[in-house]
Amino acid sequence: ISKSSSLNQKDKNFISTTNLAPSTITVTVIGEVKKPGQVNVRSSSPITQAILNAGGYTRNANQNKIALLRLKNNGNIEKIIFENQKNKKVINQFLQDRDVVFVDSNVMSKVTNNLNTIFSPLSPFIDAATLYNLMNN
């Protein structure tokens, strides 16, 4: 049997339902999900199923930006970014064993984290100034 050079989604769906493919696969979901880590999903599952198995999105999640990292046969890592789920591409993308799904943070969360990083070193000085003002009044 010769190896196919390319498979369409219909062929992938068929193969995933046969006994040639394992019934479940393990993927890693990281980023803004409630229970990040490895999850088991059925072999024909879309990305959204892995996110649901990881507890779903946190309130800081950017549901419009999800990245899929996949190890290719040649050893390279393929990074696919789905940036607007209204086109439903992320829902139709089927997972493979050892895929990594990354859910990015939303803009407000990123701004808040950056402000905390900038102003955290200043908090002892601000606290001391506040205490000084309270003692002088």
Side-chain angles (χ1 to χ4, degrees):
I1 299 175
S2 62
K3 182 177 178 180
S4 175
S5 60
S6 66
L7 290 175
N8 61 31
Q9 197 60 46
K10 183 179 176 184
D11 293 335
K12 290 178 184 180
N13 290 343
F14 174 73
I15 292 170
S16 69
T17 59
T18 67
N19 62 358
L20 298 174
S23 60
T24 62
I25 59 172
T26 302
V27 297
T28 304
V29 184
I30 56 176
E32 294 296 333
V33 291
K34 294 179 182 171
K35 296 184 291 185
Q38 290 187 335
V39 295
N40 291 322
V41 294
R42 291 181 46 178
S43 60
S44 60
S45 296
I47 291 175
T48 51
Q49 184 63 50
I51 293 170
L52 288 174
N53 286 7
Y57 297 107
T58 66
R59 64 186 182 96
N60 295 330
N62 180 357
Q63 297 180 26
N64 293 322
K65 187 173 183 184
I66 296 173
L68 174 66
L69 304 171
R70 178 171 287 161
L71 182 64
K72 302 299 280 181
N73 291 337
N74 62 5
N76 292 333
I77 296 176
E78 177 183 21
K79 181 177 182 181
I80 306 167
I81 297 177
F82 302 99
E83 278 199 80
N84 184 357
Q85 291 184 22
K86 292 177 184 169
N87 63 15
K88 305 295 184 200
K89 279 175 59 179
V90 72
I91 292 171
N92 294 328
Q93 180 68 40
F94 288 96
L95 294 167
Q96 295 178 6
D97 195 35
R98 301 181 324 178
D99 278 351
V100 176
V101 177
F102 175 70
V103 179
D104 201 7
S105 301
N106 61 28
V107 173
M108 183 59 98
S109 176
K110 287 180 181 179
V111 168
T112 303
N113 288 340
N114 288 338
L115 288 175
N116 284 338
T117 302
I118 292 168
F119 290 110
S120 291
L122 301 176
S123 69
F125 300 111
I126 295 170
D127 292 342
T130 304
L131 182 62
Y132 178 77
N133 286 337
L134 288 174
M135 294 184 85
N136 284 335
N137 289 333

